[in-house]
């Protein structure tokens, strides 16, 4: 078979995710290409190898291919410039053919440079490289389609990398431009499937479930038509994520279980971890603590291979729930401490990550306190997980402890500590809601981000028997017209919103774009009325008392930089 035909076969193997076979084929062609003295074909080998390394996360290999391409092109550029006259006798191509080759493979190298920067989390570098790829001269009409495919693929890679670092807002312009090309006749099937799958996942993460479904179905159908097993499994994984967001546990379990063996066979660590994560969700949702812990242990192992701090910190927080249910609070605190270290090590972490983490630490204190107060479902660290499961299944959710005992007072002290963590986090996170002008977007943030944290803050105040704090929380939110009795989408437990955060992209323009972890779900039936947007001024419930929750508001500002108090005269809330 001719070398160009073999190169095309290598491309088809790579499109089918058989990168090992494609790589071996490409490497086997190099001696023949060198013997034929065809630098243009050798450049094609390096370009394809670079794409394979990029897909598999072998960044050193990508960098090596970029360097090989550019070194070769530099020699030919010097030949054209007349600075290497000794090379003139060795060049068998015409000047036009040399310019054509330089134009084509400089773009291929630029594409690899863009993808490499995105994969490394260098989003500013990726943006610069992408601009260079977009600005490449269109000197040869026969290269226009390839250039358009490269450019759209690069935009998808950059957008996906931004989402991996919770920068969904910044990815939106890239998605908009990339999607326009997917229906172009010159768009390759591979790019159509990869783009539709990636954008479908983006829609799921940002709460656009209705928009995600057709993209994912279309990608799955095209992948199946081409016999691309991995691509089809990836669409199933994104559909599993959508099912979980819609509280459809059965479909989540079915799709994630179907996708996991296929994705594992192709050794895609991040997607394998996500499969295990969603399967852990469904198992914990049915009360199977041990099975859920095993799933998340698998997920953590795969994520550690990748070394992505933000993703890994989430699974550690999720695993801390097992320790909480089991009554092993020291283990839970250790997992949360590890998650904090990961946030500290990531340049992409933001205040919202820390607020969620503090809330989870507050949950540990709350669970420990409820154990002291005699909560009948509290775990015993001396038990097996199966015994804990049975205990929880039989529990009535009541407190059996006696008032006034040392355990009782110890429990209340721990609830006070839980409030120190949960209430400031709740105020900070919920403050975002009141910067969002769109009522539906505000409702999505409230439902999927604010609600679990805010509800746990109310619960701690109630269990602490701090009627003053409960009254202040009610007064604080009543001042906005927050409370609504309209029906909403199914609620999920606090544990279910830890490792799979959903995102909001239609935030107010004054919000930092890095704040990307937010809410999902269908639009609210009614936007709900609010007294005002933005932070409230200080609130006074009684003429002889100071502003309510001043301590917690100050902590929200100190820890997260969220000023939840307007610099205005105090509002009086008494009649």
């Amino acid at each position: 078979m001719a070398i160009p035909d073999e190169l095309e076969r290598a491309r088809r193997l790579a499109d089918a995710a058989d990168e090992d076979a494609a790589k071996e084929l490409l490497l086997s062609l190099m001696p023949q290409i060198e013997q034929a003295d065809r630098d243009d074909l050798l450049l094609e080998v390096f370009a394809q190898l670079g794409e394979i390394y990029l897909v598999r996360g072998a960044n050193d290999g990508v960098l090596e291919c970029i360097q090989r391409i550019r070194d070769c092109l530099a020699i030919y550029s010097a030949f054209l410039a007349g600075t290497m006259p000794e090379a003139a006798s060795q060049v068998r191509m015409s000047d036009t053919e040399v310019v054509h080759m330089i134009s084509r493979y400089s773009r291929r190298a630029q594409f690899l440079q863009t993808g490499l920067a995105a994969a490394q989390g260098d989003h500013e570098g990726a943006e610069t490289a992408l601009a260079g790829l977009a600005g490449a001269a269109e000197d040869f009409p026969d290269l226009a389609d390839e250039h358009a495919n490269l450019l759209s693929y690069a935009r998808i890679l950059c957008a996906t990398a931004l989402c991996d670092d919770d920068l969904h807002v910044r990815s939106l312009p890239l998605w908009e431009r990339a999607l326009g090309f997917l229906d172009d006749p010159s768009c390759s099937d591979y790019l159509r499937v990869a783009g539709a799958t990636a954008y479908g996942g983006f829609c799921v993460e940002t709460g656009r479930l209705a928009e995600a479904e057709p993209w994912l179905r279309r990608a799955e159908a095209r992948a199946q038509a081409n016999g691309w097993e991995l691509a089809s499994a990836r669409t199933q994984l994104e559909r599993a994520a959508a099912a979980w967001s819609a509280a459809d546990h059965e479909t989540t379990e079915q799709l994630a279980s179907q996708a996991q063996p296929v994705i594992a066979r192709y050794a895609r660590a991040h997607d394998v971890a996500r499969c295990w994560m969603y399967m852990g969700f469904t198992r914990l949702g049915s009360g199977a603590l041990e099975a859920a812990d095993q799933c998340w242990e698998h997920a953590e192992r795969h994520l550690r291979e990748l070394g992505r701090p933000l993703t890994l910190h989430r699974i550690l927080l999720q695993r801390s729930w097992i320790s909480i249910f089991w009554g092993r609070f020291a283990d839970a605190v250790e997992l949360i401490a590890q998650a904090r270290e990961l946030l500290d090590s990531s340049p992409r972490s933001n205040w919202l990550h820390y607020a969620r983490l503090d809330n989870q630490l507050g949950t540990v204190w709350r669970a420990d306190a409820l154990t002291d107060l005699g909560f009948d479902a509290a775990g015993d660290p001396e038990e097996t997980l199966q015994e804990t499961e049975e205990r929880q299944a039989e529990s009535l959710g009541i407190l059996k402890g006696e008032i006034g005992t040392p355990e009782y007072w110890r429990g209340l002290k721990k609830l006070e500590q839980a409030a120190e963590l949960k209430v400031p986090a709740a105020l900070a996170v919920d403050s975002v809601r009141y910067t969002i002008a769109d009522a539906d977007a505000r409702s999505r943030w409230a439902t999927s981000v604010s609600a679990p944290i805010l509800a746990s803050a109310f619960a701690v105040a109630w269990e602490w028997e701090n009627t003053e704090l409960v009254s202040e929380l009610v007064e604080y939110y009543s001042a906005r017209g927050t409370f609504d009795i309209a029906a909403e989408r199914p609620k999920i437990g606090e544990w279910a919103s830890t490792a799979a955060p959903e995102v909001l992209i239609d935030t107010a323009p004054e919000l930092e774009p890095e704040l990307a972890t937010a809410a999902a779900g269908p639009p609210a039936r009614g936007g709900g009325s609010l007294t005002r947007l933005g932070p409230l001024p200080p609130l006074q419930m009684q003429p002889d008392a100071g502003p309510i929750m001043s301590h917690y508001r100050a902590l929200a500002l100190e820890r997260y930089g969220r000023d939840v108090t307007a610099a205005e005269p105090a509002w009086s809330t008494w009649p």
Side-chain angles (χ1 to χ4, degrees):
M1 188 178 291
I3 293 175
D5 294 334
E6 290 284 72
L7 290 171
E8 184 58 33
R9 185 163 74 92
R11 168 69 64 186
R12 291 194 299 270
L13 288 170
D15 287 348
D18 192 355
E19 292 95 0
D20 289 339
K23 175 184 173 183
E24 292 302 318
L25 176 56
L26 290 169
L27 293 175
S28 71
L29 293 175
M30 293 181 70
Q32 302 176 49
I33 294 172
E34 291 173 352
Q35 186 176 4
D37 196 19
R38 291 288 302 273
D39 283 343
D40 56 336
L41 299 181
L42 190 62
L43 289 169
E44 179 64 26
V45 168
F46 287 129
Q48 289 197 33
L49 282 174
E51 292 184 37
I52 290 171
Y53 291 137
L54 187 62
V55 167
R56 297 306 298 266
N59 292 343
D60 290 342
V62 181
L63 190 61
E64 176 70 16
C65 290
I66 293 171
Q67 192 62 48
R68 292 289 189 93
I69 293 172
R70 288 178 170 167
D71 286 348
C72 181
L73 294 180
I75 294 172
Y76 279 94
S77 296
F79 159 71
L80 289 177
T83 58
M84 289 186 66
E86 68 276 9
S89 61
Q90 303 176 26
V91 177
R92 301 181 180 181
M93 293 183 287
S94 66
D95 288 358
T96 301
E97 290 172 330
V98 170
V99 173
H100 184 278
M101 182 181 70
I102 292 173
S103 177
R104 182 182 188 186
Y105 290 102
S106 61
R107 292 173 181 172
R108 300 282 286 276
Q110 189 71 11
F111 164 78
L112 293 175
Q113 185 69 52
T114 306
L116 178 61
Q120 293 175 329
D122 179 10
H123 304 300
E124 291 71 25
E127 183 179 7
T128 300
L130 180 63
L133 180 61
E138 297 284 358
D139 296 328
F140 297 93
D142 63 315
L143 297 179
D145 288 351
E146 181 181 84
H147 183 212
N149 274 270
L150 288 173
L151 186 57
S152 293
Y153 191 11
R155 285 173 175 147
I156 291 168
L157 292 177
C158 290
T160 302
L162 286 166
C163 294
D164 287 342
D165 279 350
D166 289 345
L167 303 176
H168 294 72
V169 177
R170 286 173 55 181
S171 74
L172 191 56
L174 294 170
W175 287 121
E176 291 173 346
R177 300 197 68 179
L179 293 179
F181 181 69
L182 296 186
D183 290 328
D184 191 282
S186 64
C187 182
S188 68
D189 267 9
Y190 176 81
L191 187 56
R192 285 194 174 103
V193 172
T197 303
Y199 182 68
F202 169 81
C203 290
V204 172
E205 291 174 350
T206 54
R208 304 176 173 191
L209 300 185
E211 186 177 354
E213 181 70 13
W215 284 102
L216 295 175
R217 291 286 189 180
R218 193 183 314 164
E220 185 175 16
R222 193 176 294 273
Q224 290 176 347
N226 282 280
W228 295 341
E229 188 181 32
L230 175 62
S232 179
R234 278 180 154 166
T235 63
Q236 291 175 336
L237 172 57
E238 299 303 340
R239 288 174 55 211
W244 179 255
S245 296
D248 184 350
H249 292 199
E250 183 177 351
T251 302
T252 302
E253 172 69 21
Q254 176 188 354
L255 290 171
S257 298
Q258 288 176 358
Q260 190 275 330
V262 177
I263 296 174
R265 190 162 61 249
Y266 285 88
R268 298 305 198 267
H270 182 249
D271 286 336
V272 172
R274 291 181 64 212
C275 288
W276 284 116
M277 184 180 72
Y278 284 107
M279 288 191 288
F281 285 163
T282 60
R283 284 156 175 74
L284 187 56
S286 62
L289 298 180
E290 186 173 21
D293 189 45
Q294 290 172 353
C295 289
W296 292 336
E297 184 179 3
H298 289 311
E300 181 186 344
R301 185 180 70 253
H302 288 292
L303 291 175
R304 286 194 181 278
E305 295 175 7
L306 296 175
R308 295 179 181 177
L310 292 183
T311 309
L312 182 55
H313 107 275
R314 292 194 188 105
I315 200 64
L316 292 177
L317 290 183
Q318 194 66 48
R319 291 201 69 191
S320 72
W321 277 106
I322 301 298
S323 298
I324 291 171
F325 290 135
W326 203 350
R328 299 189 172 188
F329 304 119
D331 293 346
V333 170
E334 174 59 27
L335 287 170
I336 294 171
Q338 292 178 29
R340 189 181 296 276
E341 290 176 0
L342 290 168
L343 288 183
D344 292 342
S345 70
S346 172
R348 301 298 173 184
S349 59
N350 60 52
W351 70 263
L352 184 55
H353 295 125
Y354 286 98
R356 287 177 178 270
L357 186 144
D358 287 342
N359 176 67
Q360 185 69 359
L361 186 57
T363 297
V364 178
W365 280 99
R366 179 191 176 197
D368 196 359
L370 291 177
T371 300
D372 289 338
L373 296 175
F375 185 50
D376 66 343
D380 184 342
E382 302 301 322
E383 293 178 335
T384 65
L385 270 178
Q386 293 93 331
E387 291 171 332
T388 301
E389 291 173 14
E390 294 171 1
R391 178 196 295 269
Q392 292 195 349
E394 296 171 357
S395 70
L396 299 176
I398 59 175
L399 300 177
K400 295 182 177 181
E402 296 182 7
I403 296 176
T405 64
E407 292 80 8
Y408 171 82
W409 296 115
R410 186 169 65 241
L412 293 189
K413 192 66 178 177
K414 291 176 181 177
L415 286 170
E416 180 181 4
Q417 183 61 41
E420 287 286 302
L421 292 162
K422 284 182 169 291
V423 175
L427 294 176
V429 172
D430 203 48
S431 70
V432 175
R433 175 162 46 140
Y434 305 115
T435 62
I436 303 172
D438 180 76
D440 287 339
R442 187 166 62 245
S443 177
R444 291 197 298 274
W445 179 279
T447 301
S448 293
V449 182
S450 298
I453 299 178
L454 191 57
S456 65
F458 268 94
V460 163
W462 177 261
E463 292 156 355
W464 183 17
E465 301 179 9
N466 189 333
T467 54
E468 180 181 356
L469 179 56
V470 172
S471 300
E472 291 179 353
L473 284 168
V474 171
E475 195 75 14
Y476 180 77
Y477 286 95
S478 294
R480 296 184 178 278
T482 294
F483 296 109
D484 197 342
I485 60 172
E488 297 182 5
R489 72 173 190 162
K491 299 295 188 297
I492 58 176
E494 186 184 357
W495 61 266
S497 62
T498 303
E502 296 156 334
V503 298
L504 187 74
I505 56 173
D506 38 9
T507 53
E510 63 270 18
L511 281 180
E512 61 269 40
E514 287 74 11
L515 181 59
T517 316
R525 298 181 186 179
S529 61
L530 290 173
T531 303
R532 60 178 275 170
L533 294 175
L536 285 177
L539 299 178
Q540 282 185 288
M541 290 177 64
Q542 299 179 32
D544 58 348
I548 64 174
M549 294 197 299
S550 297
H551 171 63
Y552 297 113
R553 285 175 156 187
L555 286 178
L557 178 60
E558 176 187 334
R559 293 174 182 169
Y560 315 117
R562 300 297 299 177
D563 193 351
V564 299
T565 306
E568 299 177 17
W571 282 4
S572 60
T573 66
W574 64 86

